[in-house]
Amino acid sequence: MFGPPNAMQLRVSIDEIEPAVWRRLVVPSEWNLEQLHLAIQAAFNWWNYHLHEFEIGGLRYGNAIEAAEGSAIGDPQVFDERQVRLRDFRNAGTAFTYVYDFGDDWHHTVEIEDLLFLESAPHHATCVDGARARPPEDVGGISGYERFLEVLGSPKDPEHRETKAWCGGHFDPEWFDLATVDKDVRNALKPNVKRRLHQPKPKKSKL
């Protein structure tokens, strides 16, 4: 309690979806924003093949090299996300934005809920709570996701069969399994980590 906090509890939620899709994470305070990015990707099982950035205090942080290569004259500068550590945020209640996939444009609100003084400093992140499944990758943003759910819930829709096959044959917007998500988050920084292509199908009950 006499030193700086060695971990932080964060609540990360996807904007503009109701009921909320969210995850509660405990992460090392020594981590930088690039490491937090990987933890968020794991927490929602995003596939990490689209661009991303953080928006904090009117400034943008991300992969500065990629951003410079794709920028045009007059674009705001993107600063190196590796230069900002979570320990730089000193107050609980601070919130900022994480954006993934500039096409689908998934905005996430990241809120620092608590500064933690754990007995030993953590070396990986953990997921301690959450709710609901994130939208499928490349579904087309908020409007595309709404249409996706509409088609999936209407067996008579001409696009139903194709849409169901596209998402792996099953999608439950209420799905959340803490053990599965926590395992993903704990492994977030491992090299060549693989993501599930589709949501796990429910196990058939044994009579």
Side-chain angles (χ1 to χ4, degrees):
M1 290 294 293
F2 298 101
N6 55 20
M8 292 186 176
Q9 179 175 296
L10 311 177
R11 186 182 190 275
V12 186
S13 58
I14 302 178
D15 297 350
E16 299 185 59
I17 297 180
E18 291 293 342
V21 178
W22 61 277
R23 306 288 184 261
R24 178 166 287 121
L25 308 177
V26 173
V27 299
S29 58
E30 288 298 311
W31 272 15
N32 60 40
L33 291 181
E34 180 183 51
Q35 293 166 309
L36 176 59
H37 152 68
L38 294 174
I40 294 174
Q41 288 287 305
F44 291 96
N45 194 45
W46 293 124
W47 298 346
N48 196 25
Y49 63 64
H50 293 293
L51 296 175
H52 73 279
E53 70 179 26
F54 293 89
E55 298 174 357
I56 305 172
L59 300 178
R60 300 163 62 194
Y61 298 87
N63 186 316
I65 296 176
E66 286 185 354
E69 291 174 348
S71 65
I73 297 176
D75 286 348
Q77 181 178 355
V78 175
F79 296 93
D80 188 349
E81 63 189 351
R82 296 171 299 178
Q83 300 303 312
V84 179
R85 295 191 178 275
L86 293 177
R87 68 185 182 198
D88 297 331
F89 300 95
R90 301 182 180 182
N91 298 309
T94 300
F96 51 90
T97 298
Y98 168 77
V99 184
Y100 172 62
D101 184 354
F102 299 161
D104 279 9
D105 203 30
W106 299 113
H107 281 64
H108 306 64
T109 295
V110 182
E111 179 187 358
I112 299 174
E113 291 187 318
D114 202 2
L115 309 181
L116 304 177
F117 300 83
L118 303 182
E119 186 173 343
S120 59
H123 299 291
H124 56 72
T126 57
C127 181
V128 297
D129 202 359
R132 308 189 78 232
R134 57 93 171 144
E137 287 268 8
D138 300 323
V139 76
I142 295 296
S143 61
Y145 183 48
E146 291 173 349
R147 174 59 182 160
F148 166 79
L149 293 179
E150 179 184 340
V151 171
L152 210 59
S154 306
K156 294 183 180 181
D157 191 292
E159 298 179 14
H160 176 82
R161 179 176 295 183
E162 180 182 356
T163 300
K164 187 174 182 179
W166 175 78
C167 70
H170 169 78
F171 184 84
D172 178 6
E174 301 301 323
W175 179 85
F176 173 78
D177 182 79
L178 179 59
T180 297
V181 175
D182 182 47
K183 181 179 179 180
D184 291 341
V185 170
R186 287 172 179 267
N187 294 327
L189 301 192
K190 290 186 177 180
N192 303 317
V193 64
K194 295 182 179 180
R195 298 278 185 252
R196 293 180 305 279
L197 293 180
H198 305 294
Q199 188 182 104
K201 294 182 180 179
K203 296 180 180 180
K204 295 181 178 180
S205 58
K206 296 181 180 180
L207 299 177

